[in-house]
Amino acid sequence: MQKVEDQVGTVQNTIEKLNVRTRAINRALKNVSSVDNGAPVSNLIGFDDVPGVAPLLAASGEED
């Protein structure tokens, strides 16, 4: 039972860290008004290309 409790604690810590990073990303994205048409596409982040990131960002809602 102790091992399960430890694993649950690890999962909770990981989720909290993810929430912190998601809020930071969302704050940074609020400051982006447009993309420079001259900027190379390789400089843009493709969240759809990173498995699991887009659903997590969408699920985060409008948090600050």
Side-chain angles (χ1 to χ4, degrees):
M1 193 60 147
Q2 183 63 42
K3 187 172 182 177
V4 171
E5 289 177 13
D6 292 342
Q7 290 176 343
V8 168
T10 299
V11 169
Q12 289 174 328
N13 290 337
T14 301
I15 290 171
E16 181 57 32
K17 288 177 186 176
L18 176 63
N19 286 333
V20 169
R21 295 304 310 145
T22 300
R23 287 191 301 272
I25 290 170
N26 285 336
R27 279 192 304 272
L29 290 175
K30 285 180 184 179
N31 296 326
V32 177
S33 60
S34 64
V35 174
D36 179 12
N37 289 336
V41 175
S42 62
N43 290 344
L44 301 176
I45 298 172
F47 288 117
D48 293 333
D49 297 334
V50 181
V53 171
L56 292 173
L57 291 174
S60 69
E62 296 294 323
E63 298 178 22
D64 284 337

